[in-house]
Amino acid sequence: MPIMDGIQATKEIRRLEEANHRSFTLVTPRSEGGYSPSSSVSAESRPAITPFHSSVIIVALTASTLQSDRVAALAAGCNDFLTKPVTLVWLEKKIIEWGESA
């Protein structure tokens, strides 16, 4: 990206969410033990989310397969880390997974 890289952009988005009191516990995908609307986790035990806005789901998509890059992306606030090449079937699965977690 011309102005900032993905890690910097993620940090800035999370900073803005925090500044606007819109930062919530990061949602993790069901495949990693997260919850979805259909899970047995009660609404009371889920993170507080306003009816107006929820955290932006940020997914890093990169050609890098280095574990250090994955750790850096997740530490910056990314919800997931995907590596190229991506098949349409796999991408569709991830989009559905994240849609259920939101």
Side-chain angles (χ1 to χ4, degrees):
M1 296 189 307
I3 304 210
M4 61 179 77
D5 65 25
I7 299 293
Q8 292 170 316
T10 298
K11 288 178 180 178
E12 180 64 10
I13 290 167
R14 296 300 182 219
R15 186 192 69 74
L16 290 170
E17 286 179 333
E18 184 70 31
N20 290 308
H21 304 290
R22 293 182 178 158
S23 179
F24 310 106
T25 302
L26 293 178
V27 179
T28 57
R30 276 193 351 222
S31 63
E32 295 180 19
Y35 59 78
S36 69
S38 61
S39 72
S40 60
V41 177
S42 69
E44 293 79 28
S45 63
R46 293 182 185 172
I49 298 176
T50 72
F52 307 108
H53 188 277
S54 61
S55 291
V56 174
I57 294 173
I58 302 172
V59 179
L61 179 60
T62 179
S64 173
T65 58
L66 296 176
Q67 184 65 19
S68 59
D69 288 340
R70 177 182 174 80
V71 168
L74 297 175
C78 289
N79 298 87
D80 207 345
F81 183 89
L82 310 179
T83 57
K84 297 175 188 176
V86 175
T87 66
L88 246 75
V89 172
W90 189 67
L91 183 59
E92 179 182 32
K93 176 184 161 266
K94 283 297 189 177
I95 290 170
I96 291 169
E97 182 178 309
W98 278 108
E100 289 176 352
S101 297

